[in-house]
């Protein structure tokens, strides 16, 4: 899910969990009617509402929808019309990563943008698009693993960030 999809993702989560809009309203410290407006798309969620609900429910799909909302869609969208069984997602993820690896061997990555021929530029664009598809697949795979095996999406990312900082990849 991307821009404008936080509400439907929240509504979907509530159905799966059997919770009410009143319950979400209590979590987010807002009225249930506002949750209803967000769910049906007539109101945009605030960053504070998205933060409180994503942290409370700790659901990958909801985090992905919030990220898409905040970035204006510049994030992996939630795929709601595919088989999200863990094995299916794994197979698709491997397929997407292989496509990146194959194209990586074909592009002249050592060249700068102004050195590329038009054909090389088109191949570079194909590599970029395959990379984005692999990111989407990997994001879904992480969300599916978290859900299927009861790992915290938020704790997983916090642990990842701590590891990156320990390796001095981040300040």
């Amino acid at each position: 899910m991307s821009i404008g999809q936080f509400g439907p993702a929240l509504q979907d989560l509530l159905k799966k969990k059997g919770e009410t809009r009143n319950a979400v309203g209590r979590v987010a410290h807002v009225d249930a009617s506002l949750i209803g407006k967000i769910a049906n798309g007539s109101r945009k969620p605030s960053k504070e509402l998205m933060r409180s609900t994503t942290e409370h429910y700790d659901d990958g799909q909801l985090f992905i929808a919030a990220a898409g909302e905040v970035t204006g869609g510049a994030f992996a969208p939630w795929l709601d019309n595919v088989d999200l069984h863990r094995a299916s997602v794994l197979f698709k993820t491997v397929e997407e990563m292989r496509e990146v690896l194959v194209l990586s061997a074909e592009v002249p990555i050592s060249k700068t943008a102004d050195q590329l021929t038009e054909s090389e530029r088109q191949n570079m664009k194909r590599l970029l698009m395959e990379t984005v598809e692999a990111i989407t697949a990997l994001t879904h795979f992480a969300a599916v693993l978290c859900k299927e095996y009861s790992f915290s999406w938020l704790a997983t990312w916090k642990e990842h960030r701590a590891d990156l900082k320990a390796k001095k990849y981040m300040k």
Side-chain angles (χ1 to χ4, degrees), residues 33-155:
S33 65
L34 177 59
I35 299 300
K37 291 175 184 173
I38 291 167
N40 71 27
S42 64
R43 284 284 298 273
K44 290 188 75 150
S46 67
K47 289 180 185 177
E48 296 79 21
L49 184 137
M50 288 188 288
R51 177 172 301 186
S52 62
T53 54
T54 54
E55 288 177 2
H56 177 79
Y57 290 105
D58 198 12
D59 178 80
Q61 179 183 353
L62 198 58
F63 272 104
I64 291 166
E69 194 85 42
V70 170
T71 63
F75 194 76
W78 185 257
L79 304 177
D80 58 4
N81 196 32
V82 297
D83 179 2
L84 291 175
H85 183 276
R86 62 190 179 278
S88 299
V89 177
L90 172 61
F91 295 143
K92 186 61 176 175
T93 300
V94 169
E95 176 188 319
E96 295 298 346
M97 291 187 320
R98 281 190 179 130
E99 290 173 359
V100 169
L101 292 174
V102 167
L103 277 172
S104 294
E106 296 175 11
V107 298
I109 201 72
S110 60
K111 288 185 176 181
T112 62
D114 62 330
Q115 294 172 326
L116 294 177
T117 66
E118 186 55 36
S119 174
E120 291 169 334
R121 181 169 172 72
Q122 290 303 316
N123 284 339
M124 200 66 74
K125 174 69 180 216
R126 283 184 43 228
L127 174 60
L128 171 61
M129 296 310 295
E130 292 298 339
T131 300
V132 171
E133 288 179 16
I135 290 167
T136 299
L138 284 162
T139 301
H140 281 72
F141 190 51
V144 166
L145 289 176
C146 285
K147 181 175 250 153
E148 185 72 26
Y149 297 106
S150 300
F151 292 111
S152 165
W153 177 268
L154 185 56

